Amino acid sequence: MAIIHDFVEDWIEMRSKLQRQLKLLESGKTDTGTNVIGSTTEATIIRLKKWIDELNDLLKEYAHADRT
């Protein structure tokens, strides 16, 4: 099950990166040098939360296979 283990590790890493990005966007501390329209930021926040939820679902589904 080495392949599943690799997937799980990658998903955890991806989730961590997305969570950091989400935290930055929600804090309003992104210094991109451009003016980002508020609705764009809100849409991005929603999208990031959706991706994080999807990764959480994958981790729940495959975590048991990773332990075997």
Side-chain angles (χ1 to χ4, degrees):
M1 289 290 173
I3 293 173
I4 296 294
H5 178 75
D6 291 343
F7 283 159
V8 168
E9 284 187 351
D10 288 345
W11 294 334
I12 290 170
E13 183 180 340
M14 283 184 240
R15 182 182 63 180
S16 177
K17 288 178 181 180
L18 292 173
Q19 287 170 330
R20 281 193 304 270
Q21 292 173 1
L22 178 61
K23 188 175 181 178
L24 281 172
L25 285 173
E26 288 180 330
S27 73
K29 294 182 181 177
T30 55
D31 187 22
T32 60
T34 61
N35 292 329
V36 178
I37 299 170
S39 63
T40 303
T41 300
E42 283 302 315
T44 303
I45 287 171
I46 291 168
R47 190 172 291 123
L48 286 170
K49 287 180 178 180
K50 192 172 169 181
W51 291 340
I52 291 167
D53 288 342
E54 290 288 333
L55 287 168
N56 284 334
D57 289 344
L58 283 168
L59 289 166
K60 285 178 191 173
E61 186 174 340
Y62 287 95
H64 70 280
D66 184 39
R67 292 185 212 131
T68 59

